[in-house]
Amino acid sequence: MTSQVRGVQLARLLGQWHALPGRRRSPDYAALAGAVRGLLADGRLPLGVRLPAERELAEALKISRTTVTAAYRELRESGHLASRRGAGSWTMLPGTHRVASTGLWTPLDDRDMIDLGVAALAAPPELLPAARAAAEDLPRYLGGAGYHPTGIIELREAVACAYTDRGLPTSPDQIMVTNGTQHALDLVLRLALAPGGNVLVEAPSYPNALAALAARRARITTHGLAVEEPGWDADLLLGGLRQARPKLAYLIPDFQNPTGHLMPASLRERVVATAHAVGTDLIIDESFVDLPLDGTVLPPPTASFDRHSRVVTIGGMSKPFWGGLRIGWVRASAPQVQRLAATRVGVDMASPVLDQLVAVHLLADAPAIVTARRAQLTVQRDALLAALAQRLPEWRVTVPHGGVTLWAELDGPISSALARAAEEVGVRLAPGPRFGLDGTLERFLRLPFTLPAADLAEAVGRIAAVRYDLDRGGRSQWREPTVIA
């Protein structure tokens, strides 16, 4: 089912769209068409969504229907709108081209490269003592086969306790340990989504989640996020759920990747209620929930509003602890966990016992480790913001109050070209289209603040240099795609 945007919703998205006064003033229809193209390029207006009828939009914008008719005609001529008599008009891009969001391998021997493609921290100093303690614990497991499809009991208890401490009572039977958060998502999709099923996601969203959905041949409906807070448009998000009635919705409400937005409690409650009403199951990714900054108070977990087992929560240790420790988890109802375990047998049987024991010891020290991480990230975020303000003041950045990434709006649709040019000067970037579908988001760039402050300042300096030379430089050589995490 094609989703539809109403006239008042599109009017709100368009904002101040009118042509500027002056000698070179464009006609209003051209300004309106340009504003719609801008929404499509930025991912604020999804592709494949049906626009309001001409009369409805004219009434919402308080302009003549003739202006809307001319704007729609220009959008059809530029390839941004398709129309069929009696069926309406829906959004598209010229040539209906698609840009894949899958990341591939990254070479490990390029030590002069400043890698801003991966949003993850180096291991904390507590990792080695935790590994030694885990090795001492290992002998008591060596008498068995070592297969624990839902995870060892110590780790499930520790994860369940962390949820309970956040105000979401959880038993170990509701926890399944996985090989990272991405593995958790893959298992949930295998269980809950038939090939070709409909899924709602945010735009932008996590590239590897989009890749997992593509592997299931999912039909994706998107909800565009605004650059400014709070990010989500409640009317559009809830309306999208009601119209598309997707089988699943994948959302990142806690310091959303890549925008850093934090979904307010009131919207979490309404999303859960709407999902239940339309028969949608929610996959809530809490990868960054442990990393609020500036004393930000977290809203209640999304699952705390769930009364009907509609919410499956996934999380892991990659962001607050270390990506090399492949430990993640699923929190769901106990019957759902058992069904996931049965699904898992055909994939990888179980997670390594030794890694799980390391995780147990790290979680025991979590208050101290996470406190240090937050202090480190605050310093690095502020250093990155200062460097951007000094070297690239034309870029627009909303300061995130948690997570590990900035979502920068550039001074033009140059994200992919800039990433290719930056690679030549030793900076690896994650361009905006990696976080969306169909070639949108070229005006955006994700910048993690997980590296030391000096490296971040150096990277911004190199980016600024190639930005100012971009229009005059020759065509860069194409490179292998790199991993985005």
Side-chain angles (χ1 to χ4, degrees):
M1 176 179 177
T2 302
S3 60
Q4 181 176 5
V5 60
R6 299 195 303 272
V8 292
Q9 294 171 330
L10 183 54
R12 186 170 63 253
L13 288 174
L14 287 166
Q16 300 297 320
W17 62 271
H18 288 83
L20 296 174
R23 295 178 59 186
R24 298 190 178 185
R25 172 186 171 94
S26 300
D28 277 350
Y29 78 86
L32 178 57
V36 172
R37 283 192 292 267
L39 290 175
L40 288 169
D42 291 350
R44 295 284 308 282
L45 185 63
L47 300 180
V49 69
R50 191 166 62 193
L51 293 187
E54 295 171 1
R55 184 184 303 277
E56 180 187 354
L57 183 58
E59 292 175 353
L61 294 175
K62 296 180 172 55
I63 60 176
S64 71
R65 182 177 176 180
T66 302
T67 299
V68 177
T69 300
Y72 277 19
R73 181 173 62 248
E74 179 165 312
L75 289 168
R76 285 192 293 270
E77 291 173 353
S78 65
H80 292 83
L81 199 64
S83 301
R84 188 168 66 247
R85 186 178 297 276
S89 301
W90 57 94
T91 56
M92 58 185 290
L93 284 182
T96 63
H97 61 287
R98 297 183 64 85
V99 174
S101 57
T102 307
L104 300 179
W105 58 272
T106 303
L108 298 177
D109 55 354
D110 193 351
R111 303 200 179 271
D112 293 330
M113 182 70 68
I114 302 176
D115 193 348
L116 297 182
V118 175
L121 292 158
E126 293 86 351
L127 181 62
L128 280 179
R132 295 189 185 101
E136 294 177 359
D137 293 340
L138 186 60
R140 68 173 183 266
Y141 281 92
L142 299 181
Y147 296 123
H148 302 270
T150 60
I152 63 174
I153 185 61
E154 292 100 318
L155 182 53
R156 289 188 288 122
E157 287 176 341
V159 174
C161 182
Y163 278 110
T164 301
D165 290 344
R166 291 174 55 204
L168 181 60
T170 303
S171 72
D173 291 339
Q174 292 179 266
I175 301 298
M176 177 180 180
V177 178
T178 63
N179 297 322
T181 310
Q182 183 72 12
H183 181 222
L185 174 62
D186 180 74
L187 288 174
V188 174
L189 293 179
R190 287 173 184 266
L191 177 66
L193 186 66
N198 191 11
V199 180
L200 183 142
V201 302
E202 299 143 334
S205 188
Y206 179 46
N208 294 338
L210 299 177
L213 292 169
R216 299 296 296 170
R217 303 195 300 277
R219 293 181 294 112
I220 297 177
T221 301
T222 58
H223 168 67
L225 296 181
V227 175
E228 63 276 359
E229 296 289 354
W232 295 267
D233 185 308
D235 188 23
L236 289 175
L237 175 56
L238 301 178
L241 286 170
R242 296 187 187 103
Q243 291 179 33
R245 304 179 77 89
K247 179 66 177 69
L248 295 175
Y250 169 78
L251 303 174
I252 313 173
D254 298 288
F255 312 117
Q256 199 264 353
N257 185 4
T259 64
H261 292 318
L262 181 64
M263 183 181 288
S266 58
L267 183 53
R268 297 175 189 228
E269 185 173 14
R270 295 174 67 190
V271 166
V272 173
T274 303
H276 172 62
V278 302
T280 297
D281 292 325
L282 299 176
I283 304 175
I284 301 300
D285 189 337
E286 291 190 338
S287 294
F288 301 94
V289 74
D290 294 309
L291 299 174
L293 308 178
D294 307 324
T296 299
V297 177
L298 288 173
T302 304
S304 65
F305 301 106
D306 182 27
R307 302 293 181 269
H308 307 281
S309 298
R310 286 286 183 193
V311 177
V312 175
T313 304
I314 60 176
M317 305 190 70
S318 295
K319 302 308 180 182
F321 295 93
W322 187 45
L325 185 65
R326 303 308 303 151
I327 294 294
W329 49 77
V330 179
R331 183 204 179 271
S333 68
Q336 286 174 310
V337 167
Q338 292 306 309
R339 289 195 293 272
L340 283 167
T343 300
R344 179 180 193 165
V345 170
V347 181
D348 71 340
M349 301 296 287
S351 298
V353 171
L354 184 58
D355 289 16
Q356 294 184 70
L357 291 170
V358 174
V360 169
H361 286 280
L362 286 175
L363 288 176
D365 291 335
I369 297 173
V370 172
T371 297
R373 292 300 214 189
R374 293 172 183 169
Q376 174 188 357
L377 287 169
T378 300
V379 171
Q380 293 171 184
R381 179 202 60 184
D382 294 346
L384 179 57
L385 287 168
L388 290 171
Q390 180 182 10
R391 301 300 302 273
L392 292 161
E394 303 87 358
W395 291 11
R396 178 185 176 194
V397 179
T398 299
V399 180
H401 296 291
V404 299
T405 62
L406 301 178
W407 186 237
E409 183 177 0
L410 313 184
D411 55 332
I414 57 167
S415 184
S416 295
L418 183 63
R420 292 193 294 271
E423 187 99 0
E424 299 297 326
V425 296
V427 179
R428 183 166 290 125
L429 297 175
R434 289 287 185 91
F435 300 87
L437 300 170
D438 304 290
T440 60
L441 304 174
E442 275 289 2
R443 291 182 63 89
F444 295 91
L445 185 68
R446 189 189 74 172
L447 295 170
F449 42 91
T450 49
L451 296 179
D455 289 347
L456 294 172
E458 175 65 22
V460 171
R462 297 183 193 181
I463 294 168
V466 296
R467 169 64 192 102
Y468 296 130
D469 292 338
L470 193 60
D471 295 334
R472 298 189 298 272
R475 182 174 179 178
S476 300
Q477 297 295 316
W478 291 93
R479 292 266 188 156
E480 289 285 344
T482 53
V483 68
I484 305 294

